[in-house]
Amino acid sequence: MRYFIEIAYNGKNYHGWQVQPDAASVQQTIEEALSTLLRAKTEIVGAGRTDAGVHAKQIFAHFDFAEAIQSVDLVYKLNSFLPPDIAIKNILTVKEDAHARFDALSRTYEYHICLEKDPFAIDFCHKLHHSPDVVKMNQAAEILYTYNDFQCFSKSKTDVKTYNCSVTMAKWEKTGNKLVFTITADRFLRNMVRAIVGTLLDIGFEKITLDDLHNIITSKNRSNAGTSVPAEGLYLTEVTYPKELFL
């Protein structure tokens, strides 16, 4: 039987989602816990691969197990077994061919920026000393809707068949001394969100113009886009699937 497992984690202590040869990863930590509790080697396949230091408020992974699982009981045991910075939210029975990565309809990320020193946000937001122009950055965010090829925001030497992504929502919101950028798309390239945020901040600080953004995107050249912002401000917040996947 195939199961989806809903996960949240603080990425500070992990070298990203994916298993690494000589570094702690979220995937490996969960696989080891599942294998111990189910008494069988259990591998999981995630909806995406967050980089080192990136957080997830919601991410799904799938795994197979020969027997029926008491989800509430296993969730409790996993949360007791796992370190405090990884939480299991739910375990759901799905169709046998359901895939956590390929069946995802959309993914949503948030990027958090603090505009003043906040001792309670260390490792959870990017600190800026000055406030950028949020109106201009929202004008720039709307430009993303008009393009599909985002190679200019992709990490170089990425093994993908296409750089096409469909952005369905991109906006900045300012509340008090905090800025949050939210973006939704059907898929994301490696480092894409952090590169987009860095480029939009350049517009907010008037280092480049809205016309420059059009030129950056059409150039398909990563070196023309802005600097990637630090990982600690980035959160994967939602992954959506077709309802018919779940039993």
Side-chain angles (χ1 to χ4, degrees):
M1 298 179 69
R2 178 155 292 185
Y3 298 91
F4 269 25
I5 182 169
E6 183 182 358
I7 306 154
Y9 57 83
N10 171 353
K12 177 187 175 182
N13 296 319
Y14 300 95
H15 201 72
W17 165 267
Q18 193 173 14
V19 172
Q20 305 286 327
D22 300 304
S25 71
V26 178
Q27 181 183 13
Q28 181 180 356
T29 304
I30 296 172
E31 285 180 347
E32 290 174 353
L34 268 175
S35 298
T36 299
L37 292 171
L38 296 177
R39 300 180 181 178
K41 182 174 174 58
T42 306
E43 296 181 349
I44 62 175
V45 177
R49 300 174 180 177
T50 57
D51 291 334
V54 175
H55 315 292
K57 294 183 179 180
Q58 183 189 66
I59 186 172
F60 288 89
H62 74 251
F63 69 94
D64 296 325
F65 190 62
E67 302 171 20
I69 286 174
Q70 298 294 324
S71 60
V72 174
D73 184 51
L74 184 56
V75 167
Y76 176 80
K77 288 180 178 178
L78 278 169
N79 281 324
S80 299
F81 200 84
L82 287 165
D85 50 12
I86 299 177
I88 306 303
K89 313 296 284 186
N90 208 348
I91 295 176
L92 305 161
T93 309
V94 294
K95 292 182 177 179
E96 61 180 16
D97 61 346
H99 198 287
R101 180 183 175 191
F102 298 133
D103 285 330
L105 297 174
S106 70
R107 297 159 175 85
T108 299
Y109 282 88
E110 290 178 0
Y111 194 83
H112 292 230
I113 292 174
C114 294
L115 300 174
E116 65 176 18
K117 188 174 182 179
D118 184 352
F120 302 105
I122 297 170
D123 303 319
F124 299 106
C125 77
H126 174 41
K127 170 72 170 63
L128 288 179
H129 298 288
H130 304 286
S131 180
D133 187 327
V134 179
V135 173
K136 283 187 178 178
M137 292 196 301
N138 270 322
Q139 292 172 345
E142 291 181 1
I143 291 172
L144 300 175
Y145 300 144
T146 63
Y147 291 93
N148 292 109
D149 189 324
F150 292 103
Q151 185 174 354
C152 69
F153 298 124
S154 174
K155 201 165 189 175
S156 56
K157 298 180 181 179
T158 298
D159 184 21
V160 293
K161 293 181 180 179
T162 174
Y163 292 96
N164 287 354
C165 308
S166 178
V167 175
T168 55
M169 192 262 287
K171 65 178 181 180
W172 288 90
E173 291 181 305
K174 184 178 180 183
T175 305
N177 286 299
K178 192 168 189 178
L179 271 175
V180 177
F181 176 64
T182 306
I183 184 167
T184 301
D186 59 340
R187 64 190 286 262
F188 287 90
L189 306 166
R190 283 193 65 192
N191 205 56
M192 177 174 164
V193 179
R194 291 162 63 191
I196 287 175
V197 172
T199 306
L200 298 188
L201 284 173
D202 283 347
I203 289 173
F205 286 120
E206 299 185 344
K207 295 179 180 179
I208 61 173
T209 66
L210 295 176
D211 286 338
D212 290 331
L213 179 58
H214 287 284
N215 295 331
I216 288 168
I217 296 174
T218 55
S219 77
K220 302 183 181 182
N221 189 334
R222 176 67 187 91
S223 63
N224 292 334
T227 303
S228 293
V229 287
E232 62 263 22
L234 185 59
Y235 301 74
L236 175 58
T237 60
E238 185 180 22
V239 186
T240 64
Y241 295 93
K243 291 181 180 179
E244 57 267 23
L245 247 60
F246 302 91
L247 299 179

